[in-house]
Amino acid sequence: MGIEFLIVNILLVILIVIASLVAVLLRDLLAAAIALAAMSLLLSLEFFLLQAPDVAIAQAGVGACLTTAIVIIAIKGTKRMEEE
Amino acid sequence: MTKIVKTTANILFPFTMIFGLYVIAHGHLTPGGGFQGGAIVASGCALLLVAYGSPWVFDHIKDKRLATFESLGAIGFITIGLLGLIFGAVFFGNFLAGSGSLFGTTPATGSTLADFNTGGVLPLMNFAVGVKVIAGLFVIILVMAYASSIKEWS
Amino acid sequence: MEKRTVAGALAFSIVVVFFLFSIFLLHPFGKPGQVQMDDYIITHTQNETGTNNGVTSVVFDYRGFDTLGEATILFSAVAGVLLLFRRVRH
């Protein structure tokens, strides 16, 4: 476990937290869903770096694609902008 | 959707399918398995759904047929487990491993080359769970998309 | 300050304190605590299940009941969705 591994891991965790905060704080729900998909993809990369490729494939398939599809379908059925 | 999206989906859809089926079929040799490969194939079907719209897909694939495939996958999985109870000793027993017949070769201990004809009942279980996950996840997405696309319920 | 804000802040701080405790109680990274079962599975998985992939042998053979539960969860999810949207027909 070298220093490069540590730097990349810390950078990835910070990016995951930033993407989650963007997903929480955005008023536009469609953009929030895209931010959630980006968070899920970064989490999948983190799983892959921690040598769990099974979990990484499952996270990339279910979390980044299918959950985003379900959320976007729900947004299409209701309203796009969040109200106060 | 526009022509650009449809062309991109036409190009990407076969590769996604091939990759997902590869992950299912080589589940006992490489990382992945039934659930992961099924999620990848269902993602490819969701790409088709985004590009062509849910009424087009709903005309070509019936949801009842997908639900039947989902039940068939579950029945196959439990049947293999019960066959383990009959031929082996315990529920989910691996009765095909080391028997020399289908998927019955035992690999040498240590890091060896991958042989496809190994694993006992694990490839069959991967196939059953793969069919189940493909049909299950795709029917959820398909029915929800079609329900949100029509304006007024009966 | 409203009551809901105070209650939310209190619950959030309690959760943060529990997470901090659990972070300090973790064993160091890359050094698992109990290794007997890991050693058994890594040693015997190629002879007992005939598979080169240890993770799949654990998921489908050693811990088959977990996969059965997962299949049950997926089946109930599909049944619920089809039951909820069963009016949607041509």
Side-chain angles (χ1 to χ4, degrees):
Chain A
M1 192 164 60
I3 190 70
E4 303 93 357
F5 182 78
L6 205 63
I7 290 173
V8 170
N9 259 333
I10 291 173
L11 209 63
L12 263 178
V13 170
I14 291 172
L15 279 177
I16 288 170
V17 172
I18 288 175
S20 316
L21 281 177
V22 166
V24 170
L25 291 179
L26 274 179
R27 287 283 170 212
D28 192 352
L29 289 180
L30 199 60
I34 301 299
L36 203 62
M39 188 275 286
S40 190
L41 210 59
L42 288 170
L43 191 61
S44 151
L45 192 59
E46 174 72 27
F47 279 139
F48 185 74
L49 282 182
L50 290 179
Q51 300 181 4
D54 295 85
V55 192
I57 293 174
Q59 181 73 31
V62 175
C65 185
L66 292 174
T67 309
T68 312
I70 290 178
V71 169
I72 286 177
I73 286 167
I75 291 170
K76 189 184 161 195
T78 54
K79 276 185 296 187
R80 181 172 169 178
M81 302 302 290
E82 189 181 5
E83 293 177 353
E84 276 299 322
Chain B
M1 294 293 270
T2 59
K3 207 174 183 62
I4 298 171
V5 179
K6 281 185 183 176
T7 309
T8 312
N10 283 340
I11 294 172
L12 280 181
F13 180 67
F15 291 105
T16 316
M17 282 302 198
I18 290 294
F19 179 61
L21 293 177
Y22 164 79
V23 169
I24 292 177
H26 289 227
H28 57 296
L29 299 175
T30 55
F35 188 80
Q36 286 89 356
I40 292 171
V41 175
S43 304
C45 296
L47 179 70
L48 202 67
L49 198 65
V50 168
Y52 283 90
S54 53
W56 188 85
V57 182
F58 210 82
D59 282 339
H60 287 76
I61 304 171
K62 292 285 173 278
D63 57 338
K64 276 187 178 177
R65 207 165 292 168
L66 282 174
T68 311
F69 269 107
E70 206 262 347
S71 303
L72 277 180
I75 288 172
F77 183 63
I78 294 181
T79 306
I80 294 170
L82 286 177
L83 284 180
L85 183 59
I86 293 171
F87 290 109
V90 291
F91 196 49
F92 285 108
N94 201 339
F95 61 94
L96 280 178
S99 65
S101 59
L102 182 70
F103 297 124
T105 314
T106 303
T109 310
S111 66
T112 58
L113 278 180
D115 184 8
F116 190 76
N117 198 17
T118 56
V121 297
L122 295 185
L124 303 173
M125 278 186 180
N126 267 322
F127 183 70
V129 173
V131 169
K132 181 177 166 53
V133 171
I134 290 171
L137 290 181
F138 184 44
V139 76
I140 290 176
I141 300 273
L142 178 61
V143 171
M144 284 184 69
Y146 189 72
S148 75
S149 74
I150 58 175
K151 292 300 175 190
E152 192 173 348
W153 287 23
S154 64
Chain C
M1 193 177 285
E2 294 183 22
K3 279 181 182 177
R4 280 185 63 178
T5 315
V6 176
L10 200 61
F12 181 73
S13 50
I14 287 174
V15 168
V16 165
V17 165
F18 270 108
F19 267 107
L20 283 179
F21 265 117
S22 56
I23 283 174
F24 285 117
L25 286 179
L26 278 177
H27 49 71
F29 182 75
K31 296 182 177 59
Q34 304 285 327
V35 295
Q36 288 92 5
M37 183 169 289
D38 308 351
D39 288 340
Y40 177 82
I41 287 175
I42 289 170
T43 312
H44 290 84
T45 181
Q46 280 181 321
N47 290 325
E48 286 183 355
T49 66
T51 316
N52 278 331
N53 189 354
V55 179
T56 304
S57 78
V58 169
V59 166
F60 283 103
D61 200 330
Y62 290 109
R63 299 284 182 270
F65 275 101
D66 281 357
T67 312
L68 186 63
E70 173 203 315
T72 313
I73 288 172
L74 188 61
F75 182 79
S76 55
V78 171
V81 167
L82 286 181
L83 197 65
L84 186 62
F85 295 105
R86 71 181 164 186
R87 281 200 231 165
V88 183
R89 289 284 183 271
H90 281 289

